[in-house]
């Protein structure tokens, strides 16, 4: 059963990237809980509630000409109806009108608290941090609550501070 749970959780983590790139914001309903708390360091912002999160991400990504999000290195720890998941991500953002060049590439990590719901596994709390970037920092433009933060967040410093939910979960076992 746990292997099936892990596969379902990895599926929703990957569905997130597909939903973003396909601009299929309703697919976020299959990824996140209605009361999701999402803290995105690269965006310099956080959101409470799925409707607010979806609307903000749609607005930001609609301003780009293209983007591709890749999820990888999935780790999942299931404990009953709660799980902690960790993954790495790469983001390619393209905005042709950006002064200084049209592309920006970021890499980082996601630390998720996932819960089993009647509809299946959903991410209840997501933290995303930027590990590094290259390209034109003007591509991800500031808009409304999006205030792009180009400061990198080194994973081991968060681990040493006890601020990685997945690591805390597996160390407690």
């Amino acid at each position: 059963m746990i292997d099936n749970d892990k596969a379902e959780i990895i599926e929703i983590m990957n569905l997130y990237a597909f939903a973003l790139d396909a601009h299929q914001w309703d697919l976020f309903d299959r990824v996140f809980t209605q009361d999701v708390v999402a803290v995105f360091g690269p965006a310099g912002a956080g959101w409470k509630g799925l409707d607010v999160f979806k609307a903000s991400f749609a607005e930001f990504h609609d301003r780009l000409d293209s983007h591709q999000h890749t999820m990888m290195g999935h780790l999942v720890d299931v404990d009953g109806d709660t799980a902690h998941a960790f993954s790495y991500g790469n983001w390619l953002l393209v905005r042709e009108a950006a002064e200084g060049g049209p592309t920006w590439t970021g890499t980082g990590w996601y630390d998720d608290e996932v819960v089993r719901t009647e509809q299946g596994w959903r991410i209840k709390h997501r933290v995303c941090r930027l590990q590094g970037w290259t390209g034109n920092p003007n591509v991800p433009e500031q808009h409304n609550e999006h205030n792009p933060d180009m400061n990198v967040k080194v994973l081991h410093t968060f681990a040493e501070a006890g601020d990685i939910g997945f690591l805390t979960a597996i160390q407690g076992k």
Side-chain angles (χ1 to χ4, degrees):
M1 181 72 165
I2 287 181
D3 286 341
N4 191 42
D5 290 333
K6 288 182 177 186
E8 288 179 27
I9 292 167
I10 291 169
E11 180 78 9
I12 66 167
M13 294 165 74
N14 289 328
L15 183 60
Y16 159 77
F18 176 79
L20 276 174
D21 295 336
H23 288 203
Q24 297 298 305
W25 308 112
D26 287 343
L27 289 178
F28 272 31
D29 297 348
R30 298 182 188 188
V31 176
F32 299 100
T33 62
Q34 287 296 315
D35 62 346
V36 65
V37 173
V39 179
F40 277 70
W47 298 270
K48 292 182 181 177
L50 183 56
D51 291 339
V52 173
F53 182 42
K54 285 194 311 190
S56 182
F57 261 48
E59 181 179 46
F60 177 82
H61 288 86
D62 284 348
R63 298 171 63 83
L64 298 167
D65 295 308
S66 180
H67 47 83
Q68 182 177 7
H69 295 73
T70 306
M71 307 295 291
M72 64 197 124
H74 301 72
L75 298 168
V76 179
D77 179 69
V78 177
D79 186 8
D81 290 337
T82 302
H84 287 88
F86 183 90
S87 59
Y88 292 103
N90 291 322
W91 318 285
L92 169 63
L93 307 182
V94 179
R95 189 167 60 85
E96 297 295 339
E99 186 176 322
T103 62
W104 179 87
T105 303
T107 185
W109 44 272
Y110 298 88
D111 188 28
D112 297 323
E113 178 187 347
V114 189
V115 295
R116 188 189 318 266
T117 71
E118 291 180 10
Q119 296 78 33
W121 288 98
R122 299 291 187 269
I123 298 170
K124 182 176 181 67
H125 187 256
R126 167 164 274 188
V127 173
C128 175
R129 299 287 184 222
L130 182 66
Q131 177 70 39
W133 63 272
T134 188
N136 180 3
N138 295 318
V139 171
E141 63 184 334
Q142 185 172 352
H143 185 70
N144 293 333
E145 69 268 19
H146 288 266
N147 186 20
D149 179 0
M150 298 296 160
N151 295 309
V152 298
K153 311 297 183 200
V154 180
L155 180 61
H156 71 82
T157 60
F158 284 82
E160 291 163 3
D163 199 19
I164 304 289
F166 173 79
L167 184 59
T168 301
I170 64 171
Q171 287 178 334
K173 292 187 171 181

